[in-house]
Amino acid sequence: QVQFVETGGGLVQAGGSLRLACTAVGITFRDNAMGWFRQAPGKQRESVASISSGGSTKYADSVKGRFTISRDNAKNTVYLQMNSLKPEDTAVYSCTVLRNYRLGLPSDYWGRGTQVTVSS
């Protein structure tokens, strides 16, 4: 059974940092591209960052230079380091395996996500 468990969210002031982690179960983690997505209240889910099986990365324009995605294949875990957080980063953050890294297409498997709230 495919599962993703996200941790590391919380409440932080603008300008602060958080590090999210997502552990995957039920997939051959090292062979798969992974992605972080977020969904704010009243908005559609959007891609934040992606990492290929080989370690290549892509970012949404809104987070470039502030967020860093990385992976530890030995731990089946993908991370999202978020610096210089802004109130507009407030959302539920989730990770999943990508069906297509180039297009950033997510799978149909999602964890519960982790809430990130940035106060002004």
Side-chain angles (χ1 to χ4, degrees):
Q1 184 177 1
V2 179
Q3 291 183 336
F4 302 100
V5 179
E6 301 93 346
T7 58
L11 173 64
V12 63
Q13 288 189 331
S17 298
L18 285 173
R19 188 192 193 207
L20 307 183
C22 170
T23 300
V25 177
I27 63 170
T28 307
F29 183 83
R30 64 180 181 275
D31 293 340
N32 283 280
M34 298 294 296
W36 280 101
F37 294 76
R38 68 185 181 187
Q39 187 167 20
K43 295 187 176 181
Q44 287 192 334
R45 181 183 285 145
E46 63 174 352
S47 175
V48 175
S50 303
I51 186 165
S52 71
S53 59
S56 299
T57 58
K58 295 191 295 184
Y59 298 92
D61 288 343
S62 59
V63 306
K64 279 181 182 176
R66 300 189 298 122
F67 290 12
T68 303
I69 188 171
S70 61
R71 63 191 297 158
D72 185 337
N73 290 338
K75 296 182 178 180
N76 283 10
T77 299
V78 60
Y79 302 98
L80 187 67
Q81 177 67 44
M82 306 186 295
N83 299 329
S84 302
L85 282 161
K86 304 176 180 180
E88 51 263 44
D89 294 319
T90 295
V92 175
Y93 286 71
S94 303
C95 82
T96 190
V97 61
L98 297 179
R99 293 187 286 118
N100 185 299
Y101 170 74
R102 184 176 65 85
L103 299 177
L105 296 178
S107 75
D108 295 328
Y109 299 99
W110 297 97
R112 291 185 175 183
T114 185
Q115 176 70 47
V116 171
T117 303
V118 184
S119 63
S120 56

